């Protein structure tokens, strides 16, 4: 039931590499992003099964899976969202993007790299915001979230509007054994949505799962 309600309420088309390539070609510039961290490449299977319970990119594999323990947000504003529960405190913050001190690479008039790296969020154009800080505290221990986990993510929309009501699918999830923590964010945007899951194993940052091209 979660699968179909979630799919219908968001009214989103799952990312398709063919569709995305055609879109980029029509606009006249090259998409330099890659799918190396996508859900479809995620292994081992045990990890993939857990991420499929909440990630939009894993929706086709979520049928019959057991939902993970969820820690929802406690408060949010235009530039922050906080989470707390089950021994976990976390927050994500955004700030206005500035071109000063940045290297911006263009293909014709379209922005394709920031500081020599492909980026996510309104690809092709100068972003308005960037993720300025991510914090995670587990059982009183502050966990290091390296900037590489979020430094290429821009224009993060923490909420979306559903008939005038602000909603979010962002949350933190715990594996059944409690060893893994999944920090999930979905940025819904008409110009190109993306989702990211930061995975922490035994209180250490392990990797991320990143998918984009949702419309």
């Amino acid at each position: 039931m979660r699968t179909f309600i979630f799919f219908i309420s968001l009214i989103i088309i799952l990312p398709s590499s063919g569709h995305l390539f055609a879109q980029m070609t029509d606009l006249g510039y090259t998409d330099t992003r890659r799918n190396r961290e996508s859900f479809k490449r995620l292994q081992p299977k045990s990890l993939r099964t857990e991420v499929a319970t909440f990630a939009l990119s894993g929706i086709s594999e979520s049928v019959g899976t057991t939902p993970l323990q969820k820690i929802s947000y406690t408060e949010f504003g235009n530039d922050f969202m906080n989470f707390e529960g089950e021994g976990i405190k976390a927050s994500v913050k955004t700030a206005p993007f500035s071109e000063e001190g940045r290297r911006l690479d263009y293909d014709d008039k379209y922005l394709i790299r920031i500081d020599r790296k492909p980026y996510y969020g309104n690809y092709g154009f100068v972003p308005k915001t960037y993720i300025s800080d991510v914090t995670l505290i587990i059982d009183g221990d502050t966990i290091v979230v390296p900037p590489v986990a979020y430094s290429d993510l821009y224009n993060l929309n923490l909420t979306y509007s559903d008939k005038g009501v602000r909603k979010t699918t962002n949350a933190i999830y715990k594996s059944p054994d409690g060893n893994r923590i999944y920090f999930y964010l979905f940025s819904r945007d008409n110009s190109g949505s993306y989702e990211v899951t930061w995975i922490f194993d035994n209180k250490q940052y392990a990797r991320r799962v990143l998918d984009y091209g949702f419309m």
Side-chain angles (χ1 to χ4, degrees):
M1 181 63 69
R2 178 198 75 88
T3 298
F4 296 105
I5 292 176
F6 184 56
F7 181 78
I8 294 171
S9 63
L10 287 180
I11 316 178
I12 293 172
I13 300 174
L14 290 175
S16 165
S17 58
H19 171 76
L20 184 62
F21 177 80
Q23 183 184 39
M24 295 298 104
T25 301
D26 290 344
L27 289 174
Y29 65 93
T30 303
D31 186 352
T32 63
R33 297 171 297 179
R34 298 294 181 265
N35 287 315
R36 297 188 183 98
E37 299 173 292
S38 67
F39 174 82
K40 67 181 181 180
R41 295 175 177 266
L42 182 60
Q43 294 294 336
K45 185 177 179 180
S46 58
L47 197 67
R48 185 185 182 97
T49 298
E50 290 180 350
V51 173
T53 64
F54 58 82
L56 183 59
S57 53
I59 197 169
S60 63
E61 300 182 22
S62 66
V63 177
T65 59
T66 301
L68 301 185
Q69 184 178 10
K70 179 180 178 180
I71 295 92
S72 300
Y73 74 91
T74 52
E75 59 179 337
F76 68 86
N78 291 332
D79 58 359
F80 78 94
M81 181 171 281
N82 296 334
F83 307 80
E84 185 171 355
E86 302 298 327
I88 292 176
K89 291 184 178 181
S91 70
V92 57
K93 299 177 181 178
T94 65
F97 177 81
S98 173
E99 297 183 37
E100 184 176 356
R102 300 274 197 164
R103 170 170 172 159
L104 305 181
D105 295 329
Y106 289 85
D107 183 352
D108 193 12
K109 62 180 181 179
Y110 296 102
L111 181 64
I112 58 173
R113 296 187 188 88
I114 299 176
D115 296 332
R116 300 178 184 271
K117 297 189 300 183
Y119 67 97
Y120 305 86
N122 198 23
Y123 189 75
F125 304 92
V126 177
K128 295 180 180 179
T129 64
Y130 72 101
I131 297 178
S132 58
D133 185 63
V134 179
T135 60
L136 177 63
I137 300 173
I138 304 175
D139 298 328
D141 296 327
T142 299
I143 311 304
V144 175
V145 185
V148 69
Y150 56 87
S151 61
D152 56 353
L153 305 179
Y154 297 90
N155 281 22
L156 174 65
N157 293 316
L158 294 165
T159 63
Y160 64 92
S161 179
D162 182 7
K163 298 179 181 179
V165 178
R166 303 306 301 175
K167 294 185 178 181
T168 185
T169 55
N170 300 340
I172 295 174
Y173 297 88
K174 273 188 174 183
S175 65
D177 60 10
N179 292 332
R180 288 174 300 285
I181 300 297
Y182 301 96
F183 196 155
Y184 174 77
L185 299 173
F186 176 70
S187 179
R188 184 178 180 183
D189 192 318
N190 290 334
S191 62
S193 304
Y194 64 88
E195 66 176 354
V196 62
T197 301
W198 296 308
I199 302 175
F200 301 85
D201 194 347
N202 291 308
K203 298 184 178 182
Q204 298 288 326
Y205 175 75
R207 60 186 299 181
R208 73 179 185 179
V209 183
L210 177 66
D211 279 285
Y212 62 94
F214 303 92
M215 298 299 293

